[in-house]
Amino acid sequence: MLVLKTNRDIDSVEDLKDKVIGAQAYSDFAGAQAQFYMMRNNGLDHIMDPKKVIFTGNSDETVQGVLDGRWDVGFVRTGQVERTINPATGEFIDPSIFKVLDPRIYVMDSGELF
């Protein structure tokens, strides 16, 4: 779950209520299903609670939509931001402008992802 650091309205999964969400595809595990699961675990329904869910069909487009404000949060797989190129500059997007909500995946972990 990807949010611009400047967005002060979203700091947790619970803050996704009444927000616009961008995701690649409903059936995409790492770009929608894992995040829907986290929403459910935090008491939110991925259909009823967001203001709108938009399926972009493209992970780069999901990141771009967060950048240009078309949606409040983007659901993308790990590493997607680092692969996304800013069409205006032709350079990779700086990942430090984003904050990541859940799921957070750590290498040195108990092994439990969810």
Side-chain angles (χ1 to χ4, degrees):
M1 297 180 184
L2 191 65
V3 180
L4 286 175
K5 281 186 178 176
T6 56
N7 186 330
R8 302 286 181 222
D9 294 333
I10 303 174
D11 290 312
S12 69
V13 176
E14 293 85 1
D15 296 333
L16 297 181
K17 185 165 179 64
D18 299 321
K19 300 297 188 280
V20 178
I21 297 170
Q24 180 175 342
Y26 187 82
S27 61
D28 186 341
F29 176 76
Q33 293 295 312
Q35 294 86 344
F36 294 159
Y37 177 80
M38 295 306 296
M39 288 177 72
R40 188 184 64 157
N41 284 352
N42 285 275
L44 295 176
D45 182 277
H46 69 279
I47 295 172
M48 300 304 293
D49 287 318
K51 181 177 184 178
K52 185 186 290 187
V53 179
I54 298 168
F55 296 105
T56 65
N58 180 297
S59 293
D60 288 343
E61 184 67 20
T62 302
V63 175
Q64 291 294 334
V66 174
L67 280 172
D68 65 27
R70 285 178 283 161
W71 29 88
D72 303 302
V73 61
F75 290 177
V76 295
R77 68 179 187 258
T78 301
Q80 181 59 46
V81 173
E82 294 83 358
R83 290 189 283 267
T84 302
I85 295 177
N86 183 334
T89 65
E91 297 181 10
F92 289 105
I93 292 172
D94 178 7
S96 70
I97 64 173
F98 296 100
K99 55 186 167 182
V100 176
L101 303 180
D102 280 315
R104 292 186 178 125
I105 299 173
Y106 301 99
V107 175
M108 300 303 287
D109 197 304
S110 67
E112 184 177 340
L113 294 179
F114 298 101

